[in-house]
Amino acid sequence: MTWLKVVETTVSGLGYELVDCERSSGGLLRVYIDRFPDQAYDLPGDLVTVDDCEKVTRQLQYALETVDADYSRLEVSSPGVDRPLKTPAHFARFVGEEIAITLKVPFQGVKKYSGTLCAAQDADPAQVEAGQAWGLVLRSPDADKPLSKTAAKKLAKEQAKAGPDAVQGPVDQVLSFTLDEIREARLVPAVSFKGRSRRAASPAAGEVAVDEAQELGGQKK
């Protein structure tokens, strides 16, 4: 079993989502985890806590020794409020949320777009089924006022519920794309009076938003 498979299996086995995993030339192994919205955890809430990171770190240190993984330091952290979206499962989870994407090749002279993630329009059914094709509800350039976030989110959820074959909103308000056409995709952090948050709810007591990578595991022995 490869070290990456060990990381995937360990993180998922503890009830967390593996968002991303990076290895640097200096021996740093950085793992980003997230909570699932329907999963029960020791501390309530949606955001990853320091305790979550410590639990995963301890188990990963043990698991990686079984495959003699080559690393010098291990860091486990939350992906932050602007977490990246990389896999079909990531995109499926955040339908209806505002995201920002960067295209590999400019479309109409622009590479960066932001809007509400929705089902793809006029996409290859096979790509839709595989979770490789998605859409982005954009602000209408012809409207007197931009499409509100609430209206865009409602439209995105209606499209996702109706499916790709249903009659949907105006085509000029939706940018369709495939995962191989984008260089990067991230959640757009929600802004509240209490500061940035990924979701409207504020953290529960004892919950910490771990935005920056924290070294919790130390060195491989």
Side-chain angles (χ1 to χ4, degrees), residues 3 15 22 28 60 64 77 89 95 140 152 176 189-190 194 199:
W3 69 267
E22 302 172 347
L28 172 64
L60 276 178
L64 289 169
S77 74
V95 165
S140 174
S176 292
K194 295 182 179 181
R199 302 176 180 84

Side-chain angles (χ1 to χ4, degrees), residues 1-13 18 20-21 29-33 56 60 63-64 74:
M1 185 181 293
T2 66
W3 69 267
L4 181 56
K5 188 63 177 178
V6 168
V7 172
E8 293 174 347
T9 302
T10 302
V11 172
S12 62
L18 177 62
D20 202 2
C21 188
L29 176 57
R30 184 177 287 122
V31 177
Y32 298 97
I33 63 171
V56 174
L60 276 178
L64 289 169
L74 174 64

Side-chain angles (χ1 to χ4, degrees), residues 35-215:
R35 288 184 168 191
F36 289 107
D38 56 351
Q39 182 85 24
Y41 297 95
D42 295 337
L43 291 175
D46 293 328
L47 301 178
V48 170
T49 68
V50 172
D51 287 344
D52 293 329
C53 295
E54 289 177 341
K55 180 192 297 185
V56 174
T57 297
R58 288 193 297 269
Q59 194 63 29
L60 276 178
Q61 287 177 319
Y62 171 77
L64 289 169
E65 286 183 1
T66 65
V67 292
D68 196 26
D70 184 18
Y71 71 96
S72 59
R73 289 184 296 147
L74 174 64
E75 290 181 359
V76 176
S77 74
S78 157
V81 292
D82 60 342
R83 62 161 282 174
L85 307 182
K86 292 179 174 290
T87 69
H90 292 172
F91 282 84
R93 174 179 172 181
F94 290 102
V95 165
E97 298 293 335
E98 188 174 358
I99 71 168
I101 65 172
T102 302
L103 301 173
K104 294 178 180 178
V105 178
F107 174 68
Q108 296 182 346
V110 179
K111 277 190 175 183
K112 296 185 177 181
Y113 289 87
S114 63
T116 305
L117 181 62
C118 67
Q121 291 190 345
D122 302 323
D124 182 346
Q127 289 186 313
V128 174
E129 181 68 21
Q132 294 293 325
W134 298 93
L136 201 62
V137 181
L138 305 173
R139 294 176 176 176
S140 174
D142 299 324
D144 294 332
K145 296 176 65 178
L147 193 64
S148 71
K149 183 176 180 180
T150 300
K153 190 170 183 177
K154 181 179 178 181
L155 175 59
K157 289 186 175 180
E158 288 176 349
Q159 290 174 338
K161 184 177 180 181
D165 297 329
V167 177
Q168 303 183 19
V171 175
D172 61 355
Q173 290 186 349
V174 177
L175 172 68
S176 292
F177 63 91
T178 59
L179 299 195
D180 61 0
E181 290 176 331
I182 61 174
R183 187 178 305 280
E184 182 184 56
R186 288 184 174 274
L187 286 181
V188 174
V191 179
S192 70
F193 292 107
K194 295 182 179 181
R196 298 193 309 166
S197 64
R198 194 175 68 206
R199 302 176 180 84
S202 58
E207 188 175 1
V208 179
V210 192
D211 287 344
E212 300 296 332
Q214 299 184 14
E215 186 176 345

